[in-house]
């Protein structure tokens, strides 16, 4: 499985039922119970069974990808010393096609014991996909709602700016008649768009930081305070705002001053 061995040894073929009981603990267990001392060689009791710690491994995730590897204390015992085994999970590393390997594994198990049930045979990628089904569903829904909200916001911003430009037609015509070029008029309109976007970002980022803690468990592997995500969202908002305000701004910059001065 690639779990890092920090101290001691792994389980050996000689760790059988007839041999002294042994165990491997994770780093969280060692730090909690031994306070920094070396636990290798120390004895522990679990369910009235005394065993000797022979190794310490790094903390790893067990249940799902969202799990904090430092949250749990684990004691690992060799299956060769278990008197009763209800079920077991095996991981097979292969460079061959997973479908063909699954077929070979089923055939091998049937040859060993035709009555031995074999279930949940899938790749690690499939296992991860199953574990993240809910998160991906929520992510898809949130992305869809976010896209709809962005489209509605851009349409609304376009309508507001178009109405704003229409109301200021005479003013814009007067400015151009007095010497304002198209670039200045264009920036005059876009400046208001940038201001609205800045206000939105200024209000949205603190709210996102606060509300992000409520959905932190659903953000994998992203953190709610990820600066890259916040910067990307802010940049996207600016681009959407500029895109929505560009058409009204171009329309304002192309106004004929004489017609604008006669505009009612």
């Amino acid at each position: 499985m690639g779990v890092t061995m920090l101290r001691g040894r792994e389980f050996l073929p000689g760790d059988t039922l007839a041999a002294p009981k042994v165990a491997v603990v994770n780093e969280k267990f060692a730090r909690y119970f031994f306070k920094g001392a070396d636990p290798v060689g120390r004895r522990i009791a679990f369910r009235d069974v005394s065993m000797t710690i022979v190794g310490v491994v790094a903390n790893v995730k067990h249940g799902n990808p969202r799990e904090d590897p430092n949250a749990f204390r684990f004691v690992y015992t060799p299956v060769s010393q278990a008197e009763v085994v209800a079920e077991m999970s095996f991981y097979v590393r292969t460079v061959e096609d997973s479908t063909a390997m699954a077929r070979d594994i089923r055939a091998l198990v049937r040859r060993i014991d035709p009555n031995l049930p074999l279930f949940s045979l899938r790749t690690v990628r499939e296992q991860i996909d199953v574990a993240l089904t809910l998160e991906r569903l929520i992510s898809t829904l949130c992305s869809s709602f976010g896209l709809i909200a962005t489209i509605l916001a851009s349409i609304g911003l376009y309508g507001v700016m178009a109405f704003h430009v229409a109301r200021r037609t005479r003013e814009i015509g007067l400015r151009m008649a007095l010497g304002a070029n198209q670039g200045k008029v264009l920036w005059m309109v876009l400046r208001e768009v940038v201001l609205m976007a800045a206000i939105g970002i200024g209000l949205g980022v603190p709210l996102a930081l606060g509300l992000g803690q409520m959905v932190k468990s659903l953000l994998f592997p992203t953190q709610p305070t990820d600066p890259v995500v916040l910067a990307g969202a802010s940049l996207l908002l600016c681009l959407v705002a500029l895109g929505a305000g560009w058409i009204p701004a171009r329309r304002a910059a192309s106004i004929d001053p004489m017609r604008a001065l006669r505009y009612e």
Side-chain angles (χ1 to χ4, degrees):
M1 294 295 294
V3 180
T4 303
M5 177 65 66
L6 301 178
R7 289 188 294 276
R9 66 170 177 86
E10 300 179 1
F11 299 130
L12 301 176
D15 296 326
T16 62
L17 276 173
K21 297 294 189 292
V22 296
V24 171
V25 300
N26 70 340
E27 190 176 10
K28 174 76 173 181
F29 184 98
R31 288 181 177 177
Y32 183 84
F33 288 104
F34 296 99
K35 311 300 182 183
D38 188 359
V40 175
R42 306 284 289 273
R43 297 189 63 81
I44 59 174
F46 181 70
R47 293 180 179 175
D48 298 328
V49 177
S50 179
M51 59 192 76
T52 302
I53 298 176
V54 296
V56 179
V57 296
N59 301 325
V60 295
K61 299 178 181 180
H62 287 82
N64 56 67
R66 303 182 305 276
E67 187 176 280
D68 181 6
N70 301 311
F72 302 100
R73 302 182 293 272
F74 279 96
V75 176
Y76 305 95
T77 57
V79 68
S80 57
Q81 291 189 336
E83 296 183 0
V84 178
V85 178
E87 64 179 47
M88 293 181 63
S89 297
F90 288 90
Y91 287 84
V92 179
R93 189 188 302 272
T94 178
V95 295
E96 300 180 5
D97 178 67
S98 59
T99 303
M101 178 56 65
R103 186 168 53 249
D104 294 341
I105 292 174
R106 292 184 186 277
L108 178 61
V109 172
R110 281 196 298 268
R111 285 200 301 269
I112 296 174
D113 186 349
N115 298 319
L116 190 63
L118 184 65
F119 55 91
S120 298
L121 185 59
R122 52 196 175 200
T123 64
V124 173
R125 171 51 56 188
E126 292 171 344
Q127 185 83 7
I128 294 175
D129 290 341
V130 170
L132 296 178
T133 299
L134 177 61
E135 285 75 7
R136 286 178 174 167
L137 175 61
I138 294 176
S139 175
T140 301
L141 291 175
C142 291
S143 298
S144 301
F145 292 147
L147 178 61
I148 294 173
T150 302
I151 294 174
L152 292 177
S154 62
I155 294 174
L157 182 59
Y158 168 79
V160 169
M161 294 310 302
F163 177 73
H164 186 62
V165 168
R167 290 192 59 184
R168 299 180 63 183
T169 299
R170 289 177 59 86
E171 176 193 345
I172 294 172
L174 181 60
R175 288 176 179 270
M176 297 184 71
L178 294 176
N181 56 32
Q182 289 186 342
K184 290 184 178 180
V185 174
L186 190 67
W187 170 241
M188 180 184 70
V189 178
L190 289 179
R191 182 174 55 194
E192 298 182 7
V193 175
V194 172
L195 178 61
M196 285 189 286
I199 294 174
I201 293 172
L203 295 175
V205 169
L207 286 175
L209 292 174
L211 297 177
Q213 300 299 323
M214 300 174 59
V215 294
K216 185 177 180 179
S217 61
L218 300 177
L219 300 176
F220 172 80
T222 305
Q223 295 297 320
T225 56
D226 190 335
V228 176
V229 174
L230 294 176
S234 301
L235 178 60
L236 177 61
L237 176 61
C238 289
L239 293 177
V240 170
L242 290 174
W246 178 256
I247 296 178
R250 286 290 299 172
R251 186 178 301 164
S254 60
I255 290 177
D256 182 2
M258 298 306 298
R259 293 182 60 186
L261 292 175
R262 293 194 297 268
Y263 182 81
E264 296 294 337

